[in-house]
Amino acid sequence: MQFSQMIFVAGFLPLFFVLYFGKKDLAWKNAVFFLASCFFLLFQGLLAVAFLCFFTLFVFFMGKALGKATEEKKKKIFFLSLAGILLPLAFFKYSAALPFLPKMVKGWMPFGISFYSFRFIAYLYDCYQGKEAEQEIFSFSLFAFAFPVLSQGPILRYPEMREEIKNRAFSYEAFSHGLFRFTFGLWKKLALADALGALSVEVLSLDSLKNASMPQSSPSFSFLAVFLSGLSYMLQIFLDFSAYTDMAIGIGEICGFTLPENFQAPYSARSIRDFWRRWHISLSMFFRDYVYIPLGGNRVPFPSQVRNLLLIWILTGIWHGSTANFILWGLYFFVFILLELCCKKLWKRMKKSEGGNFSFVLRCLQHVYTLVVLYFSWILFRFSDFQSLKNILWLHTLPKSLALVDGKTLLIAKSNIFLLLVAILFSGNLLSSLEEEWQKLLFRGKSRLARKKRASLGFYGMEDADGKGDPCPEETSGETEVQKEEAISFAEEVEAEAKAEEEVESEVKAEAKIESEELLREEKMEAELSQENQEDLLRHEKILRRIQRRTKFNIFFLDHAEQLYFWGKLLAAIAFLLLSFALMAGQSYMPFLYNQF
């Protein structure tokens, strides 16, 4: 069962949410989350559940042993536990190459073993470094079996989940954002990634590529087909992987867990080093924190640093696949990162010169360099057959026998141009930029509401009960005769003052009449103005009304920014969900149509 399947979206997930939010008790929610994770893993087979149960118990007790062991025994226990994780992982990865194994075992891998093996290694290393080991088996099992990160990551570390297992609260903000993130990832997978995968194979099949082995042969396809296939795969691999990450983070947010980001617009990078700071961030951070830094990191001499980088990239290639092309893919990145390190000073000078007129051209060149390197890296990643790999690389040299364009590929490219443009758009930093602008707007809205609240409270909220700053008069009782006489005299004075005020009012009215007559004369004079002045006045009035409308709209938008933001995300989530259901239904119905006709 995958996140993008109908059984998960329309069956498993709604039932899980109904049970999960059925009670407010955290123990109930943790129990439902754990049982749902076990049920999700059960779809992959009983052996997958058995392997994860065994690994979980092994790592849990090894972590406790590391917490209690002396410094002398810690290293032995740690390396023993490390071997207990890495040996099974290596066995299953390379079981296809072992001739003595039966066919049932060859090539089979327990579901998610690459991801949870690295999570367990990170946990054991933290315990080895002196961090507190978990004492409750259920809490650790919840971390180990967490179904959102089981199949495709991100590589979660136990401290990132530990506190939220024992203490988390429901939030409408997190719910709406998580629902949007999940549905957007689902739509991205179904509408973009799957369509790009089909396009990549449609324009250039692997069989036709194998037949183009000799330089003298004339391929039945053109260079446009080769490039379009490579570009589609390059976009597909990012959109597919990031879509699963979006769905995992979205489910985690709905449940109250904060999962780490795994991608930050990697195709917007301007160097290969920058790309790997944005691509599969949890894997890069794992190798940095648990392999590169323990070996000395950047503090060692340059030859040792090169050795550490070589080891990192060989391990990166091995982790991604068991065939030789993955090791070649890792070494390819090692070469370019080493070149960038050697040209580090030149790179810094180029960055300092960005303020000049040459800055835009420089940024474009850096970006083009990065994209070209990445384009060929995905060719190495894609083709495990070395004959096909050799052919595709040869075809990129534009041999004479290869036509630039053919009619079939040109027609396919024209019909899929909108798909490619949308895929390129969502492969950049469009969403992150929009999110940043929204957050700025939300901050302005919150600041405005805070100022209005402070203004309503006045001077530090220290007004009196009547809100005028004057003390409320106290009720008096038992007036004396002297007080009554004073009251009578006071009333007489008030009457005299009232008469004086009436006289003043009559004078004011007379003055008002005079002023009104003057205003009428001024209006008559204004009426006698020229037609040009009247047009200017009308134009100024229109501009003023437009500014007033815009100001009112901005004030309304700032006052209701938070509500608009989250309701907008909720509506977008519903739209993405409906589109995804339509795509899934279409995929299910198409085979039926083919069988009928």
Side-chain angles (χ1 to χ4, degrees), residues 305-316:
Q305 189 179 350
V306 172
R307 177 205 63 198
N308 298 341
L309 284 171
L310 179 62
L311 176 62
I312 290 291
W313 288 107
I314 290 174
L315 291 174
T316 303

Side-chain angles (χ1 to χ4, degrees), residues 364-549:
C364 290
L365 288 173
Q366 290 172 340
H367 192 59
V368 168
Y369 147 76
T370 305
L371 290 177
V372 169
V373 172
L374 293 176
Y375 174 84
F376 285 101
S377 75
W378 295 127
I379 292 175
L380 297 174
F381 190 89
R382 184 183 184 184
F383 296 100
S384 57
D385 177 34
F386 271 90
Q387 185 60 48
S388 299
L389 180 61
K390 177 184 173 183
N391 292 341
I392 193 73
L393 292 175
W394 167 70
L395 290 169
H396 276 86
T397 62
L398 289 172
K400 293 181 180 179
S401 58
L402 185 68
L404 285 176
V405 181
D406 66 286
K408 178 187 173 183
T409 307
L410 190 60
L411 183 63
I412 294 172
K414 286 180 179 179
S415 60
N416 287 278
I417 188 68
F418 181 73
L419 170 66
L420 291 168
L421 290 175
V422 173
I424 291 169
L425 193 65
F426 283 103
S427 296
N429 57 353
L430 172 67
L431 282 181
S432 58
S433 300
L434 289 175
E435 185 68 23
E436 285 178 8
E437 294 300 321
W438 267 106
Q439 291 301 327
K440 289 177 183 177
L441 192 65
L442 283 174
F443 178 75
R444 286 174 58 198
K446 289 177 181 178
S447 301
R448 174 179 166 77
L449 290 175
R451 286 197 302 270
K452 286 174 70 176
K453 187 176 180 181
R454 286 198 301 269
S456 66
L457 292 173
F459 186 70
Y460 299 107
M462 294 174 66
E463 280 79 8
D464 300 306
D466 61 354
K468 296 180 181 179
D470 296 328
C472 295
E474 297 181 355
E475 294 183 0
T476 59
S477 61
E479 292 182 340
T480 61
E481 293 293 332
V482 177
Q483 289 173 335
K484 287 180 180 179
E485 291 176 1
E486 289 178 354
I488 292 167
S489 62
F490 178 73
E492 292 175 353
E493 291 177 1
V494 168
E495 288 178 3
E497 288 178 0
K499 289 179 181 179
E501 285 178 0
E502 287 177 1
E503 292 176 359
V504 171
E505 284 180 3
S506 61
E507 291 177 0
V508 168
K509 287 179 181 178
E511 290 177 358
K513 284 182 181 180
I514 295 168
E515 288 179 0
S516 62
E517 290 175 359
E518 289 179 356
L519 287 172
L520 287 172
R521 283 197 298 271
E522 289 178 0
E523 287 177 359
K524 288 179 181 179
M525 290 174 66
E526 288 178 358
E528 294 173 358
L529 291 172
S530 62
Q531 188 67 26
E532 293 181 359
N533 292 337
Q534 289 179 2
E535 289 178 358
D536 290 340
L537 287 172
L538 289 172
R539 187 165 59 253
H540 288 312
E541 286 177 2
K542 287 181 182 179
I543 293 170
L544 182 61
R545 284 196 296 270
R546 196 182 306 152
I547 292 169
Q548 287 173 345
R549 284 197 300 268

Side-chain angles (χ1 to χ4, degrees), residues 38-54 108-111 116 145:
C38 293
F39 188 69
F40 177 82
L41 190 59
L42 199 61
F43 272 82
Q44 318 306 326
L46 286 171
L47 282 175
V49 179
F51 268 99
L52 185 52
C53 285
F54 171 77
W108 181 79
M109 281 188 69
F111 183 75
Y116 65 70
F145 278 77

Side-chain angles (χ1 to χ4, degrees), residues 38 53 81 112 191 242 248 262 268 408 551:
C38 293
C53 285
S81 60
S242 64
N262 220 15
S268 301
K408 178 187 173 183
T551 305

Side-chain angles (χ1 to χ4, degrees), residues 85-96:
I85 295 172
L86 289 177
L87 288 177
L89 178 62
F91 172 78
F92 286 114
K93 268 191 175 289
Y94 295 99
S95 59

Side-chain angles (χ1 to χ4, degrees), residues 48 61 100 117 122 165 187 201 208 235 289 306 356 360 383 396 436 445-446 450 463 485 498 509 553 580 592:
F61 287 110
F100 56 85
S117 294
I165 289 173
W187 173 81
V201 176
S208 62
L235 294 169
D289 295 341
V306 172
F360 177 74
F383 296 100
H396 276 86
E436 285 178 8
K446 289 177 181 178
E463 280 79 8
E485 291 176 1
K509 287 179 181 178
F553 176 76
S580 301
F592 171 76

